[in-house]
Amino acid sequence: MENTSIHILAIESSCDDTSAAVLRGNQRLSNVVATQKIHEAYGGVVPELASRAHQQNIVPVVDQALKQAGIDKSALHAIAFTRGPGLMGSLLVGTSFAKSLSLGLDIPLIEVNHMQGHVLAHFIKSPEEPKKAVPKFPFLALTISGGHTQIILVKDYFDMDVLGETLDDAVGEAFDKSAKILGFPYPGGPLIDKFAAEGNPHAFEFPIPKVGGLNFSFSGLKTSILYFIQKETAKNPNFIAAHKADICASIQYTIVEILMRKVKKAVTQTGVREIAIGGGVSANSGIRAALTTAGEKHGWTIHIPKFEYCTDNAAMIGIVGYLKYLNKDFTHQKVAAKARYIIDPSL
Ligand code: KG4
Ligand code: ZN
């Protein structure tokens, strides 16, 4: 993928982050994210509030992305936006904005699948990491966040097979729902990670679900944690406070174990040893350590992107937009947001 002077403005609004980025070729010039704090009080994302917040944020976020990139909108070559998957009301805000801007500026419009963005985020070039290696095809992408859990075989930029995905909760939800049971504020994943550092991962045992193939399931884990906590706090009301680190370490160990067993299985099944992770849960120190250790042991190459490209962001939409621009893969003004939008046509 050569570098060019093509400028793409990208917009991401699929869930609760309003983001805009400007790329010059494959290089990120800016990547602005407005995270919606309003959902914290509700313990999860409230769709109606998310779309209203996107409406308030989108103009200032796009404006800042252009300012930080140091370019005028007249220098843009195309507008890329997240078409789906995501929350319909949220997607509508970014989609309508992108359509109007492309019409106003009379430049092409490019629709992007959010999941493809997570996978191809590894190809964004950052000025502060000019020599960072990119994954080689074919590679396995493990996309783990509050909304997704997938293992994808990536044969080329636009040739991907979903090998497995969650049948119920996403892995980030498993962290957040466990944290809620422990009384932590939303999103509790980072807190479990923090407290786990001081605890014994084998202090308590939680079951690893038996799910076929490369699919995942996390809802049973949440239930077993709930019953365990109810049982223990009935005996000792102070149980959570007294064993916080051990409980968190044991939960984290179980979740990481569930993920790692499937990654190992995917490597055996495909023979691919190049592994790239993405999504907000890639920040988790347990999964990072487990992948690094397994990589050293089995000779895998592990790719972990900068954290700003792991969580929902527009730069990842911009890199897909740039690749599509090179293919002249443009869309039209009649395009509609798509809440359910799979990347693997065979599914
Ligand atoms: O990608 P993301 O920002 O948003 C989407 O869900 O698309 O991911 C957010 C998720 C939340 O569930 C959050 O609890 C989880 O990522 N998360 C973590 C950590 N940092 C973020 N989970 C475990 N350990 C972490 N350090
Ligand atoms: Zn995402």
Side-chain angles (χ1 to χ4, degrees):
M1 187 202 326
E2 85 272 34
N3 192 19
T4 65
S5 54
I6 300 301
H7 290 131
I8 308 275
L9 171 72
I11 291 162
E12 153 65 32
S13 71
S14 65
C15 189
D16 60 340
D17 293 309
T18 318
S19 180
V22 178
L23 270 72
R24 175 180 295 144
N26 59 0
Q27 287 197 52
R28 183 220 64 210
L29 299 184
S30 62
N31 187 26
V32 177
V33 183
T35 303
Q36 303 176 2
K37 292 274 172 217
I38 189 156
H39 308 286
E40 277 172 20
Y42 298 88
V45 177
V46 184
E48 177 55 31
L49 296 178
S51 50
R52 278 193 230 170
H54 282 305
Q55 278 179 328
Q56 283 168 358
N57 293 343
I58 192 132
V59 172
V61 164
V62 168
D63 199 43
Q64 256 196 49
L66 286 167
K67 281 208 180 91
Q68 283 184 18
I71 68 160
D72 186 77
K73 56 184 184 311
S74 60
L76 295 173
H77 294 84
I79 312 288
F81 70 98
T82 305
R83 184 182 178 195
L87 301 172
M88 190 42 117
S90 293
L91 290 166
L92 277 172
V93 177
T95 305
S96 324
F97 188 90
K99 281 161 78 169
S100 327
L101 196 57
S102 102
L103 193 65
L105 296 173
D106 195 21
I107 54 174
L109 184 62
I110 302 171
E111 58 121 318
V112 174
N113 181 302
H114 179 87
M115 297 310 296
Q116 249 166 9
H118 275 301
V119 172
L120 299 178
H122 295 272
F123 296 95
I124 304 167
K125 266 247 169 312
S126 310
E128 60 280 14
E129 286 183 335
K131 294 208 159 67
K132 193 167 167 65
V134 297
K136 292 187 198 73
F137 300 115
F139 66 91
L140 289 169
L142 178 68
T143 309
I144 43 178
S145 76
H148 352 276
T149 310
Q150 290 189 322
I151 298 187
I152 303 163
L153 175 64
V154 189
K155 294 179 275 186
D156 206 338
Y157 294 125
F158 296 109
D159 187 2
M160 308 180 184
D161 294 334
V162 176
L163 303 181
E165 60 192 336
T166 184
L167 303 176
D168 40 57
D169 290 346
V171 59
E173 282 178 286
F175 271 109
D176 296 338
K177 288 178 178 176
S178 307
K180 198 172 177 185
I181 295 169
L182 300 177
F184 301 163
Y186 174 85
L191 290 169
I192 294 203
D193 192 5
K194 184 176 148 202
F195 298 128
E198 317 270 289
N200 171 9
H202 303 290
F204 307 107
E205 199 175 322
F206 300 110
I208 305 272
K210 290 190 175 55
V211 186
L214 292 170
N215 288 328
F216 300 91
S217 167
F218 290 99
S219 64
L221 176 66
K222 171 192 64 193
T223 312
S224 71
I225 293 168
L226 178 67
Y227 289 162
F228 168 75
I229 293 295
Q230 281 175 345
K231 191 178 92 210
E232 294 299 331
T233 46
K235 288 187 275 180
N236 169 12
N238 204 27
F239 179 77
I240 295 175
H243 300 277
K244 192 160 72 181
D246 283 348
I247 302 169
C248 290
S250 303
I251 292 173
Q252 181 157 305
Y253 170 82
T254 313
I255 293 177
V256 170
E257 191 60 26
I258 293 172
L259 293 173
M260 287 306 295
R261 286 188 189 186
K262 296 291 178 171
V263 171
K264 282 179 193 149
K265 198 167 176 183
V267 171
T268 310
Q269 203 169 297
T270 59
V272 174
R273 290 160 177 272
E274 188 102 1
I275 295 157
I277 60 168
V281 179
S282 331
N284 184 264
S285 54
I287 187 70
R288 284 176 175 236
L291 276 170
T292 309
T293 310
E296 282 162 8
K297 190 168 159 202
H298 305 296
W300 303 347
T301 308
I302 309 292
H303 297 270
I304 305 179
K306 268 169 75 87
F307 187 60
E308 74 166 290
Y309 305 142
C310 282
T311 53
D312 288 350
N313 71 92
M316 72 182 196
I317 304 306
I319 192 72
V320 182
Y322 172 60
L323 290 162
K324 285 194 162 186
Y325 185 93
L326 295 178
N327 291 342
K328 298 202 168 27
D329 185 356
F330 304 135
T331 188
H332 44 78
Q333 280 292 328
K334 287 197 176 139
V335 68
K338 223 170 158 178
R340 197 175 136 68
Y341 189 4
I342 46 179
I343 53 174
D344 182 349
S346 69
L347 289 179

